[in-house]
Amino acid sequence: MKFRTSTCTMGCLLALAMLSTAPARAAETIKIGLMEDVSGDLAVLGLPKLHGSQLAVEEINKAGGILGRQIELIHLDPQGDNARYQEFTRRLLNRDKVDVLIGGITSAAREAVRPIVNRTQTPYFYTNQYEGGVCDANMISTGAVPEQQFSTLIPYMVEKFGKKVYVIAADYNFGQISAEWNRSVLKDLGGQVVGEEFIPLGVSQFAQTIQNIQKAKPDWLLMVNVGAAQDSFFEQAQAAKLNLPMGSSIKVMLGFEHKRFAPPALNRMHAAANWFEEIASPEADAFKKKWRAKFPSEPYINDMGYNAYVTMYLYKNIVETAKSTKLADMRKVIATGNACVDAPEGKICVDPKSQHMSHRMRLIDVDEKHAVKVLKDYGTLQPYWLAKIGCDLTKKNDRKQYTPSDLPGKT
């Protein structure tokens, strides 16, 4: 009996020892949950995001990881399906117990993910350019926003080409709110929207849209269409000899349409961009060289891939400064204004009140041979709008997306 008791004690001690080492083993890696579309209509945008994440993780792990821990990257492909985004978010948070969640291409995907993340204390990085306005303590946004893009692009287009604008936008929150931003900026400039069309994702036929544009006689087009199917507009407009000036917050830098379509389909396209592969600087050239060494067949290093790469280093910097992967500790670092990263575009930082990123913005255009030229360099612009309207995540967590027509305090 004594022997059995002793054996039982030893077995129990062994089991307890195994249990006590399990968390330590789990802590050996920092788990990053990544959701990016690498198949479906948005794959052309999402694959560079996966590649940028992989490149950064490889570099960081080779340099010793984060806080001495290696990164374990867990990637799932939602295929542009918002229901899958929700399913995969729950899987990564509940089963895989990731330390941080990154990803999502469309704003609809982000809004499908955000309520689930907000029931946890897990940080969520959204790495895309978007329509702006999200005031949410769980979310750190690293892409450009309207006050960095529309506030520079639209005044230039009005001054250069005229006040009559026709809008072609994807029919979900990104396109609808981007069109609202356009109306808001245009109003201050005395401009006029002579037509707006909101196109469902997946639509690829634009004969009627082109006829509508011809009848409306705009001075220029605002293009916030999304995905491979909707990009069919450019070739059809060229065939119809539309040849109007175009402006966009997403074209060239995200979808690299100037590389995907034969000239002159993107002739006279203008965009406000923080990154595009044609940037020439020692930092940008070094980044491109590293990328090309790992992914030599990549057709273009787009803004999404670039943002994904930079976000990994931003996360590393914040965690190492906080000496913790916990959201509360990370937010203390963000609140100091010192959550920054030396990126290929220059040093950029997270605004403490909105948790959105500063960016060095350039206005670019595409000529008839699809060469990209920088028209203006605006320097580093802050994401000021949310703080201006009252979002202050250092004091309260609104967990809401605001728009020019839906401001804090409005019912």
Side-chain angles (χ1 to χ4, degrees):
M1 185 72 174
K2 186 177 181 179
F3 175 78
R4 287 179 180 175
T5 303
S6 176
T7 303
C8 178
T9 302
M10 289 175 64
C12 291
L13 288 172
L14 181 60
L16 287 169
M18 290 176 67
L19 285 170
S20 67
T21 58
R25 286 175 182 166
E28 288 175 4
T29 63
I30 289 179
K31 291 185 178 182
I32 296 180
L34 183 71
M35 295 187 294
E36 302 295 5
D37 304 315
V38 296
S39 58
D41 188 50
L42 300 172
V44 68
L45 306 177
L47 189 58
K49 294 192 75 181
L50 174 60
H51 288 169
S53 302
Q54 290 172 332
L55 177 60
V57 167
E58 180 181 283
E59 291 176 357
I60 292 168
N61 280 342
K62 282 183 179 178
I66 300 175
L67 296 176
R69 296 159 60 185
Q70 293 286 286
I71 297 172
E72 180 182 350
L73 187 65
I74 305 170
H75 170 250
L76 299 175
D77 175 15
Q79 300 176 315
D81 185 324
N82 293 337
R84 282 197 186 96
Y85 266 102
Q86 293 179 322
E87 174 193 345
F88 291 166
T89 297
R90 293 187 183 97
R91 181 191 303 184
L92 290 167
L93 294 173
N94 300 327
R95 190 187 75 180
D96 296 307
K97 308 292 185 184
V98 297
D99 296 287
V100 59
L101 194 69
I102 301 177
I105 289 183
T106 68
S107 292
R110 181 197 67 242
E111 292 306 292
V113 166
R114 203 161 55 82
I116 300 171
V117 178
N118 282 345
R119 292 195 286 270
T120 74
Q121 289 299 309
T122 305
Y124 169 48
F125 284 80
Y126 183 60
T127 57
N128 286 15
Q129 174 280 345
Y130 85 110
E131 72 281 358
V134 175
C135 180
D136 189 329
N138 278 70
M139 190 180 100
I140 299 100
S141 176
T142 59
V145 286
E147 60 266 39
Q148 295 162 324
Q149 293 190 291
F150 287 140
S151 295
T152 54
L153 172 71
I154 295 172
Y156 175 87
M157 297 297 289
V158 168
E159 180 181 357
K160 183 74 174 178
F161 302 111
K163 295 184 177 182
K164 294 189 295 182
V165 186
Y166 199 104
V167 179
I168 301 172
D171 190 15
Y172 65 98
N173 47 352
F174 166 72
Q176 292 155 357
I177 298 174
S178 293
E180 183 180 335
W181 268 102
N182 172 61
R183 291 192 296 270
S184 177
V185 176
L186 270 181
K187 182 179 179 181
D188 292 339
L189 299 170
Q192 178 187 4
V193 176
V194 296
E196 280 184 339
E197 293 194 30
F198 297 97
I199 313 295
L201 288 175
V203 168
S204 61
Q205 298 302 313
F206 290 93
Q208 185 60 57
T209 295
I210 291 168
Q211 289 180 24
N212 295 342
I213 292 169
Q214 290 168 332
K215 289 177 183 176
K217 298 186 181 341
D219 296 315
W220 56 280
L221 308 177
L222 180 66
M223 302 299 302
V224 279
N225 52 317
V226 173
Q230 290 192 5
D231 278 345
S232 300
F233 171 87
F234 297 113
E235 288 182 314
Q236 293 171 38
Q238 178 194 342
K241 296 182 170 33
L242 202 58
N243 198 32
L244 283 167
M246 297 179 285
S248 181
S249 59
I250 56 175
K251 298 306 170 187
V252 181
M253 68 169 190
L254 266 68
F256 48 99
E257 295 83 1
H258 65 308
K259 297 295 185 182
R260 290 165 44 214
F261 298 110
L266 265 286
N267 184 35
R268 309 183 80 189
M269 173 62 77
H270 301 73
N274 62 294
W275 171 262
F276 47 100
E277 192 176 340
E278 292 82 0
I279 287 179
S281 71
E283 298 81 6
D285 291 343
F287 167 67
K288 288 182 280 187
K289 183 177 180 180
K290 291 189 295 185
W291 188 296
R292 291 293 172 202
K294 185 168 179 64
F295 303 108
S297 61
E298 192 85 70
Y300 190 80
I301 305 171
N302 73 354
D303 183 74
M304 288 190 176
Y306 163 83
N307 283 343
Y309 175 89
V310 169
T311 296
M312 288 291 179
Y313 277 97
L314 175 66
Y315 175 70
K316 175 181 185 293
N317 291 351
I318 296 173
V319 167
E320 290 187 337
T321 302
K323 297 181 173 56
S324 169
T325 59
K326 293 181 179 179
L327 176 63
D329 295 329
M330 291 174 61
R331 293 191 62 239
K332 289 176 185 176
V333 174
I334 293 171
T336 68
N338 294 317
C340 302
V341 61
D342 290 319
E345 70 185 271
K347 184 177 180 178
I348 52 178
C349 300
V350 181
D351 167 57
K353 291 185 177 181
S354 67
Q355 296 186 173
H356 284 59
M357 204 82 183
S358 65
H359 283 294
R360 182 175 176 181
M361 301 303 301
R362 295 173 173 90
L363 181 69
I364 59 176
D365 80 339
V366 180
D367 67 19
E368 61 183 3
K369 295 182 180 179
H370 284 192
V372 173
K373 180 173 67 175
V374 176
L375 298 176
K376 288 190 177 185
D377 187 336
Y378 294 96
T380 301
L381 300 183
Q382 301 302 318
Y384 60 82
W385 185 74
L386 273 168
K388 181 180 177 181
I389 65 168
C391 169
D392 187 350
L393 293 170
T394 67
K395 296 180 179 178
K396 60 185 177 71
N397 185 6
D398 295 23
R399 289 186 171 173
K400 180 174 173 61
Q401 181 174 17
Y402 297 109
T403 72
S405 63
D406 184 10
L407 302 174
K410 292 189 71 171
T411 56

